[in-house]
């Protein structure tokens, strides 16, 4: 059905644009940025002759790091005398780079060679590279010279070969803990063990206002676990607010030593304003549990949008959903938004799995393309406890189906809590469920569901007619002849590509993405 994926301080700059303006920008070219006003090229970059991925328009980094850097903490850090990446941990260097832009020159940073062997343990957030925060308005920015050109190499296999009994859980890089304001931009994280990034410091704290964008995550595999239940992942953030993961790619993750108790992206409650957008997350055939995971009750305003989430090739069964809500919040005013995503389930869990307690608030699930083999537990399940105030499910494409599984193609906690459920496309064999895991009623036709719920009056059951060319998200654009191109309210298109120019990550090889200015959260019902 699908094509194989390819590898894949408000300081004002010379153009009078503040850093906060620039924080809204996604993928960037090496020396130029595309804004609505047109192509902008930094005069300073042109005159200097240095090719650099400029996060601050018109300004090169304040400090430089090189794979071979030897500059001192107090005097180094220049382009001519760059630091070693180990200086991110140095107290003197930290006092200099906090709230500034630190450029990572292209090349591989082998953390085993640079930092030596990791210590045992460190499950709750010890990072091998501990980055000090700036402020919300002047974050510390660690940016690769060119997108994905700076490679943070964790040397997991080499460490394991040198000491197979070492059970270590340090992430490769992350906040030092405390404060607010860090951005990682365009970095390639690879060969990590427990986690690649952990926003949860050694004293039990992380940072607010933490952004990860334009980054590539691959080859994470937790192979050293000796005590199970460790929540490994590529990216982890716990108990912090305004955490954004943007325009990044996650492939090849798992926890073979921990029953594949794994998530590619995980937020642990309580949180407010957490966002995953324009990301590509692809499960490894032998790894990956949940792809995007909000764990435990207490999440306010989580959003996942414009993402390509593919779990179709995973052979693991542990907690294997594309989006997993382990419990949102008991707040009756909170909202959750999943929209403009392409989700491809494996055969173990639904695409959206809403489990355990705390599903209050308003749920908005719209303009998604929802695919795959969900024959075990259904496709989109709203189960367990915690009746929501309202659930809105509209303008989605559900396709195909193997009979709906145990809990149907689309399940809701109750018909009484339905808001807008309409303008959806379903397969010819479809089922709906109203109720929790142990009770409720299943309806095995669209007509029966309409009669019982009063919903889906404009919904149809048609082959979507995907273009079926290209790879990843492009494969699931609608052909011009598709009946779903104009089925939506006001003649709009159904599915993830409705009004979208990008779904999934793009690393600058085409359209340059301009993200909205924070706050990002909008709620559409």
């Amino acid at each position: 059905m699908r094509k194989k994926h390819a590898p894949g301080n408000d300081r004002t700059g010379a153009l009078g644009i503040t850093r906060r303006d620039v924080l809204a920008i996604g993928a960037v070219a090496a020396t130029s940025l595309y804004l609505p006003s047109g192509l902008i090229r930094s005069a300073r970059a042109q005159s200097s002759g240095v090719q650099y991925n400029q996060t601050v328009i018109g300004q090169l980094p304040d400090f430089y790091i090189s794979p071979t850097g030897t500059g001192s903490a107090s005097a180094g850090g220049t382009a001519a005398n760059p630091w070693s990446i180990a200086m991110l941990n140095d107290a003197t260097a930290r006092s200099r780079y906090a709230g500034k832009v630190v450029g990572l020159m292209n090349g591989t940073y082998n953390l085993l060679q640079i930092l030596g062997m990791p210590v045992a343990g460190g499950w709750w957030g010890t990072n091998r590279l501990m980055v000090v925060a700036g402020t919300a308005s002047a974050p510390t920015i660690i940016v690769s010279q060119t997108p994905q050109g700076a490679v943070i190499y964790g040397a997991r296999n080499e460490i394991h070969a040198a000491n197979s009994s070492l059970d270590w859980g340090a992430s490769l890089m992350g906040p030092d803990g405390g404060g607010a304001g860090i951005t990682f931009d365009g970095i390639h994280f690879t060969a990590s063990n427990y986690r690649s990034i952990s926003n949860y410091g050694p004293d039990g704290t992380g940072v607010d206002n933490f952004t990860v964008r334009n980054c590539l995550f691959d080859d994470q595999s937790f192979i050293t676990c000796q005590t199970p239940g460790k929540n490994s992942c590529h990216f982890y953030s716990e108990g912090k607010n305004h955490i954004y993961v943007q325009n990044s790619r996650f492939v090849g993750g798992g926890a073979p030593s921990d029953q594949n108790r794994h998530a590619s992206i995980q937020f642990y409650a309580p949180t407010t304003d957490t966002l995953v957008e324009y990301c590509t997350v692809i499960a490894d055939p032998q790894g990956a549990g949940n792809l995007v995971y909000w764990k435990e009750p207490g999440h306010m305003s989580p959003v996942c949008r414009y993402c390509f989430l593919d779990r179709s090739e995973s052979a693991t069964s542990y907690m294997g959903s594309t989006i997993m809500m382990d419990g949102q919040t008991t707040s009756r005013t909170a909202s959750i938004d999943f929209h403009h995503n392409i989700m491809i389930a494996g055969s173990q869990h639904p695409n959206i799995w809403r489990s355990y307690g705390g599903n209050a608030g308003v749920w908005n699930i719209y303009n998604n393309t929802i695919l795959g083999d969900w024959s075990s537990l259904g496709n989109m399940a709203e189960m367990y406890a915690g009746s929501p105030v309202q659930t809105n499910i509209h303008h989605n494409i559900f396709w195909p189906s193997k009979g709906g599984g145990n809990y149907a193609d689309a399940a809701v906690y109750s018909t009484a809590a339905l808001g807008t459920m309409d303008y959806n496309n379903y397969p010819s064999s479809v089922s709906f469920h109203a109720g929790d895991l142990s009770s409720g009623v299943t309806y095995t036709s669209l007509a029966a569901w309409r009669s019982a719920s009063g919903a889906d009056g404009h919904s149809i059951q048609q082959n979507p007619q995907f273009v079926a060319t290209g790879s990843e998200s492009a494969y699931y654009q609608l052909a011009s002849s598709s009946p779903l191109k104009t089925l939506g309210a006001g003649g709009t298109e159904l599915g993830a590509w409705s009004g979208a120019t990008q779904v999934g990550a793009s690393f600058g090889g085409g359209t340059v993405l301009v993200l909205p200015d924070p706050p990002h959260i909008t709620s559409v019902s």
Side-chain angles (χ1 to χ4, degrees):
M1 178 179 66
R2 53 176 290 270
K3 298 291 184 181
K4 295 288 186 180
H5 58 79
N9 68 22
D10 275 324
R11 183 189 298 118
T12 301
L15 297 167
I17 301 176
T18 66
R19 178 172 293 178
R20 185 172 183 273
D21 295 323
V22 181
L23 285 175
I25 298 173
V28 293
T31 58
S32 62
L33 299 169
Y34 184 78
L35 294 176
S37 57
L39 187 65
I40 299 176
R41 189 173 176 87
S42 163
R44 179 172 175 182
Q46 294 177 63
S47 62
S48 69
V50 177
Q51 298 295 303
Y52 223 91
N53 175 17
Q54 291 180 250
T55 298
V56 176
I57 298 174
Q59 179 189 322
L60 293 171
D62 300 291
F63 299 98
Y64 291 82
I65 289 174
S66 165
T68 57
T70 58
S72 70
S74 58
T78 64
N81 186 26
W83 282 328
S84 162
I85 202 167
M87 285 298 165
L88 292 176
N89 297 335
D90 183 272
T92 298
R94 284 175 171 177
S95 68
R96 297 180 65 197
Y97 77 73
K100 303 294 179 62
V101 179
V102 180
L104 300 181
M105 293 180 174
N106 288 345
T108 298
Y109 297 80
N110 186 319
L111 299 191
L112 175 59
Q113 295 176 359
I114 297 170
L115 301 177
M117 291 288 286
V119 298
W123 312 117
W124 294 282
T126 300
N127 294 297
R128 302 218 72 194
L129 297 169
M130 304 290 286
V131 178
V132 67
T135 65
S137 60
T140 299
I141 299 174
I142 312 295
V143 58
S144 176
Q145 180 176 354
T146 60
Q148 301 87 50
V151 181
I152 308 298
Y153 182 74
R156 173 196 63 249
N157 292 342
E158 293 93 322
I159 291 169
H160 191 56
N163 185 352
S164 61
S165 64
L166 178 64
D167 192 9
W168 61 287
S171 304
L172 302 189
M173 190 162 87
D176 185 23
I182 290 178
T183 295
F184 294 165
D185 192 335
I187 304 168
H188 181 180
F189 296 90
T190 190
S192 58
N193 180 47
Y194 177 47
R195 295 171 181 162
S196 300
I197 292 175
S198 183
N199 183 27
Y200 192 61
D203 57 353
T205 63
V207 299
D208 292 325
N209 302 95
F210 180 33
T211 297
V212 173
R213 65 189 185 195
N214 308 318
C215 290
L216 171 61
F217 298 80
D218 61 16
D219 189 23
Q220 178 273 322
S221 185
F222 189 24
I223 63 174
T224 68
C225 184
Q226 297 170 15
T227 304
K230 298 299 186 185
N231 294 324
S232 69
C233 48
H234 282 295
F235 173 88
Y236 181 89
S237 184
E238 179 173 340
K240 306 310 292 185
N241 305 319
H242 316 300
I243 310 300
Y244 305 145
V245 183
Q246 302 171 308
N247 202 50
S248 294
R249 185 179 182 90
F250 299 79
V251 293
S257 65
D258 194 13
Q259 301 177 312
N260 271 310
R261 182 187 175 98
H262 176 270
S264 295
I265 301 169
Q266 180 169 318
F267 303 97
Y268 200 100
T271 69
T272 297
D273 184 21
T274 51
L275 170 69
V276 181
E277 65 179 356
Y278 298 103
C279 289
T280 293
V281 189
I282 299 176
D284 185 89
Q286 300 302 316
N290 299 300
L291 298 188
V292 184
Y293 189 11
W294 281 271
K295 186 169 185 179
E296 300 297 330
H299 297 284
M300 302 287 287
S301 302
V303 173
C304 183
R305 64 189 184 188
Y306 298 102
C307 291
F308 180 77
L309 309 172
D310 183 357
R311 209 181 168 278
S312 62
E313 294 184 0
S314 176
T316 65
S317 59
Y318 188 89
M319 300 177 70
S321 297
T322 50
I323 299 178
M324 176 76 166
M325 287 297 302
D326 203 27
Q328 186 212 6
T329 177
T330 56
S331 169
R332 309 297 282 176
T333 60
S335 67
I336 177 171
D337 293 88
F338 297 154
H339 65 92
H340 291 88
N341 302 295
I342 297 173
M343 295 176 276
I344 310 176
S347 60
Q348 294 84 25
H349 274 71
N351 271 301
I352 300 175
W353 180 241
R354 298 162 57 167
S355 73
Y356 304 107
N359 286 324
V362 178
W363 291 69
N364 300 306
I365 301 169
Y366 62 95
N367 279 111
N368 299 289
T369 300
I370 303 173
L371 308 156
D373 174 7
W374 48 82
S375 57
S376 175
L377 285 173
N379 181 25
M380 188 184 68
E382 177 185 12
M383 299 298 176
Y384 290 107
S387 177
V389 172
Q390 187 179 91
T391 300
N392 301 297
I393 305 169
H394 56 89
H395 293 85
N396 301 290
I397 299 172
F398 293 84
W399 190 264
S401 174
K402 290 194 174 182
N406 295 350
Y407 302 107
D409 297 302
V412 298
Y413 191 84
S414 71
T415 56
L418 276 180
T420 299
M421 186 171 183
D422 202 358
Y423 298 103
N424 298 301
N425 181 76
Y426 300 106
S428 57
S429 175
V430 66
S431 60
F432 303 85
H433 185 85
D436 62 19
L437 279 173
S438 59
S439 64
V441 180
T442 298
Y443 305 89
T444 57
S445 72
L446 179 57
W449 173 245
R450 283 172 173 160
S451 177
S453 66
D456 279 311
H458 297 89
S459 299
I460 63 172
Q461 295 171 277
Q462 294 285 331
N463 186 319
Q465 297 182 27
F466 299 121
V467 295
T469 59
S471 63
E472 298 182 353
S473 61
Y475 186 92
Y476 299 103
Q477 295 183 76
L478 295 178
S480 58
S481 58
S482 170
L484 310 187
K485 291 286 285 186
T486 57
L487 179 67
T492 56
E493 182 175 326
L494 302 193
W497 280 102
S498 177
T501 58
Q502 179 178 332
V503 177
S506 170
F507 290 124
T511 302
V512 177
L513 176 65
V514 179
L515 296 173
D517 204 28
H520 300 286
I521 305 306
T522 57
S523 189
V524 180
S525 60

